[in-house]
Amino acid sequence: MSVPVASSVPVASASPAGAGRSIERPRVLSGVQPTGALHLGNWLGAIRNWVALQSDHDTFFCVVDLHAITVPHQPERLAEDTLSTAALYLACGIDPQKATIFVQSHVSAHSELCWLLNCVTPLNWLERMIQFKEKAVKQGADVSAGLLDYPVLMAADILLYDADRVPVGEDQKQHLELARDIAQQRINARFASRDSAGQPIPILKVPQPLILKEGARVMSLTDGRSKMSKSDPNEGSRITLLDPAELITRKIKRAKTDPQMGLEFGNPERPEADNLLGLYALLAGRSREAAAAECGSMGWGSFKPLLAEATVAALAPLQARYHELRADPQHLGEVLSQGRERASAVAEATLERVRQALGFLASS
Ligand code: TYM
């Protein structure tokens, strides 16, 4: 089956130099690591928002497989997890006719720009990163240089596409600030040339984070004070997008509660109530007010089956679509190969701009 993909959409931009975009449509880039099964946090915090953006933005969504090897990984799982993550993008509603979907390692400009940015990024900016500190503690003496460098590769991902907006969950805010600082202070401020009026011509676009309030921080089912995460060794702490109905029901049944009656938002003493009620609102398609009114006087025993039912119903169509997509590997392969083509064209142009600004000898 041939796959129609997003046409090459030039977008107007006063900057950066040479971006060559001619129609106003803000550019968006985001990605998820193919490290095990995607969970409700990845969906509600990130991918759900991508779907909403794809109609009126020029969207690029990559599966960030180079990031997935910054912690010890299983080589025999990497390709399968990469395909499964790409299939989940489509199953969640990303449309290859509107968005460019690709695999990060298929576009070599990501690694190359990462190196150029490495050479201008102060080491102490990276040592300050909260996620590095958290993950490094878990790795002990085995922590890789790649883990420290993770945010620079992420900056390269974003800056290569002149992204205006980067839709992510709350946990990525600091990485986004780093990408902005690298673009602004370490590339544009140092290397920009000037136009005839003496104004600097930026080399890289400075991106904005796009973090929606609702769903930006989905918490663990077993501890309402820590984030739902793929790396939590307790599988009961998260609901993955491919969990079967019985497993979802079981995980919710075992989710941590507190001794109080009634679900409510915003009580700092009741993080589990806040998290599970928030999940219910998002998954059942209710406003927060309507969810709070419906569940405000419910006990946990009545609320949990309601949440389980809403979760199963929200995931069922996505799961059906996922299994259809995995049954047609040729289609998925075509989506990714056409995505790579389009992504490479944009990324190579930006990389060339940076190479020139940094003074490299042109290859002929
Ligand atoms: P990853 O795979 O850890 O997470 C992917 C996306 O899911 C969001 N997220 C959450 N949102 C709400 N609640 C949670 N519990 C939760 N857990 C994860 C993350 O914020 C993220 O948006 N470093 C990125 C991957 C990346 C990237 C990029 C993102 C690499 N290059 C360029 C944007 C642009 C990450 O966190 O992956």
Side-chain angles (χ1 to χ4, degrees):
M1 191 191 332
S2 108
V3 185
V5 289
S7 52
S8 124
V9 184
V11 176
S13 163
S15 62
R21 305 204 244 159
S22 59
I23 304 168
E24 269 313 337
R25 210 151 70 103
R27 184 72 67 71
V28 162
L29 176 124
S30 199
V32 174
Q33 297 183 71
T35 39
L38 270 55
H39 55 65
L40 284 181
N42 301 129
W43 186 35
L44 300 174
I47 303 174
R48 181 181 60 116
N49 307 330
W50 305 356
V51 176
L53 290 165
Q54 65 184 341
S55 300
D56 50 3
H57 290 69
D58 186 20
T59 46
F60 288 75
F61 301 120
C62 57
V63 180
V64 291
D65 55 347
L66 295 170
H67 279 102
I69 65 162
T70 54
V71 292
H73 80 289
Q74 295 175 281
E76 64 282 6
R77 295 266 346 141
L78 185 58
E80 164 58 25
D81 286 347
T82 301
L83 278 177
S84 136
T85 303
L88 277 170
Y89 287 5
L90 298 180
C92 289
I94 303 295
D95 178 353
Q97 295 194 48
K98 297 178 179 157
T100 301
I101 302 161
F102 66 102
V103 176
Q104 182 192 35
S105 69
H106 291 179
V107 179
S108 59
H110 289 246
S111 305
E112 200 172 337
L113 183 61
C114 177
W115 177 255
L116 302 183
L117 300 182
N118 274 336
C119 297
V120 295
T121 303
L123 185 58
N124 65 21
W125 286 11
L126 302 182
E127 287 166 340
R128 277 205 298 265
M129 293 293 114
I130 296 161
Q131 280 212 340
F132 170 69
K133 290 194 232 171
E134 285 172 356
K135 289 189 186 175
V137 169
K138 292 185 196 151
Q139 303 297 312
D142 217 16
V143 57
S144 70
L147 189 66
L148 180 70
D149 203 31
Y150 179 114
V152 183
L153 178 59
M154 179 164 162
D157 299 340
I158 297 164
L159 301 175
L160 274 176
Y161 297 89
D162 293 323
D164 297 280
R165 290 174 202 163
V166 185
V168 282
E170 181 73 36
D171 61 339
Q172 295 304 306
K173 204 169 166 196
Q174 197 186 29
H175 289 162
L176 255 297
E177 277 158 16
L178 184 94
R180 288 170 53 83
D181 289 347
I182 293 175
Q184 184 97 291
Q185 299 174 30
R186 294 284 154 161
I187 297 288
N188 291 346
R190 290 183 170 187
F191 301 105
S193 54
R194 295 191 175 263
D195 64 16
S196 52
Q199 292 304 312
I201 308 168
I203 300 153
L204 293 172
K205 180 132 205 175
V206 181
Q208 297 286 343
L210 188 64
I211 302 172
L212 296 192
K213 235 168 86 194
E214 290 171 15
R217 199 163 162 77
V218 173
M219 308 310 277
S220 155
L221 296 186
T222 48
D223 174 7
R225 293 185 202 276
S226 59
K227 193 186 71 162
M228 184 176 284
S229 156
K230 288 185 216 137
S231 59
D232 190 325
N234 180 359
E235 290 192 7
S237 68
R238 60 184 166 270
I239 291 174
T240 82
L241 302 187
L242 297 174
D243 278 350
E246 321 77 71
L247 185 58
I248 293 173
T249 307
R250 200 173 337 127
K251 285 179 177 174
I252 292 177
K253 201 168 172 190
R254 291 185 185 160
K256 187 172 174 205
T257 57
D258 59 34
Q260 287 197 45
M261 274 288 288
L263 276 292
E264 61 179 325
F265 283 121
N267 182 343
E269 302 303 313
R270 304 190 65 205
E272 287 78 25
D274 184 272
N275 185 43
L276 296 185
L277 187 57
L279 281 179
Y280 176 67
L282 287 169
L283 295 166
R286 306 263 195 285
S287 68
R288 283 165 71 87
E289 295 69 32
E294 185 183 351
C295 309
S297 54
M298 254 181 211
W300 288 101
S302 329
F303 173 71
K304 281 185 164 182
L306 196 68
L307 174 59
E309 200 184 310
T311 310
V312 169
L315 291 179
L318 184 161
Q319 295 182 350
R321 177 90 185 109
Y322 172 83
H323 293 298
E324 272 169 36
L325 285 156
R326 293 311 310 268
D328 187 355
Q330 200 190 335
H331 173 65
L332 197 54
E334 284 176 24
V335 169
L336 294 178
S337 115
Q338 293 184 37
R340 178 194 57 211
E341 237 171 78
R342 178 160 146 65
S344 292
V346 177
E348 280 300 329
T350 310
L351 181 61
E352 187 49 34
R353 238 165 43 224
V354 180
R355 275 199 209 111
Q356 281 181 17
L358 267 56
F360 284 93
L361 176 66
S363 69
S364 49

